[in-house]
Amino acid sequence: MDWLTPEIMSAFFQVLMIDIVLAGDNAIVVGLAAAGLPKEQRGKVIIVGIAAATVLRIVFALMTTQLLQIVGLLFAGGILLLWVSWKMWRELREGHAHEEAAAKAALDKADGTVDDPATHVAPEAPRKTFKQACIQIVLADVSMSLDNVLAVAGAARDHPNVLIIGLVLSVAFMGLAATFIASLLSKHRWIAYVGLLIIVYVSLAMMYEGSLDLMAYYESRGG
């Protein structure tokens, strides 16, 4: 079958790992924002966060073709992903044990029916409001959803079918399995490292291709 070529399968694997790692990272961000709220509000803000991320991924996915036609966006997206990679690398190196415990506790025990370690992580920190948590999550979701869509598009740029599958998986992972993926990444750190390496590779490829697009654009304008 034509679509089962090594090149396409490689692109699909890259897209799959990007979707898994960024969905888990997004879920942890949602959990961290929810951890600062009273127990009775955590479930609501987690639903808001995951719903916002899902909707934003759908919106950005529908705009992917138009986004990639903007001269310079591919290069800028590569730089943005490189920054995301650096941030993820720092998080993996430092562990962030307390923050991840708070995020996981908020995601898994939002109903407050069991003892919640998130309440013991930073007792001196001031409580945030439900509105503040929602704003924090939505702002993070905008950035991370755009990162996800650009990364998938960068990895599968020459393979439209892989691009479509990758964007569908991105929405599905965020909407249906974000909490599970966050837990999976917490237990099996090597998955996050593999995903990180792929994101670095994709970001460098996007910067390279984006620079070629920029040079071609300026040459076409007689620059």
Side-chain angles (χ1 to χ4, degrees), residues 92-128:
L92 287 171
R93 289 280 292 177
E94 295 171 4
H96 282 268
H98 292 297
E99 289 87 349
E100 287 188 7
K104 189 174 185 301
L107 287 165
D108 295 341
K109 306 180 177 90
D111 58 358
T113 55
V114 297
D115 182 44
D116 188 350
T119 59
H120 308 301
V121 172
E124 72 282 357
R127 287 284 189 181
K128 68 179 73 174

Side-chain angles (χ1 to χ4, degrees), residues 66-88:
Q66 290 80 7
L67 287 173
L68 292 178
Q69 290 176 352
I70 300 174
V71 177
L73 185 62
L74 193 65
F75 183 79
I79 294 175
L80 184 62
L81 280 178
L82 206 57
W83 178 79
V84 169
S85 301
W86 168 246
K87 192 176 75 165
M88 288 176 63

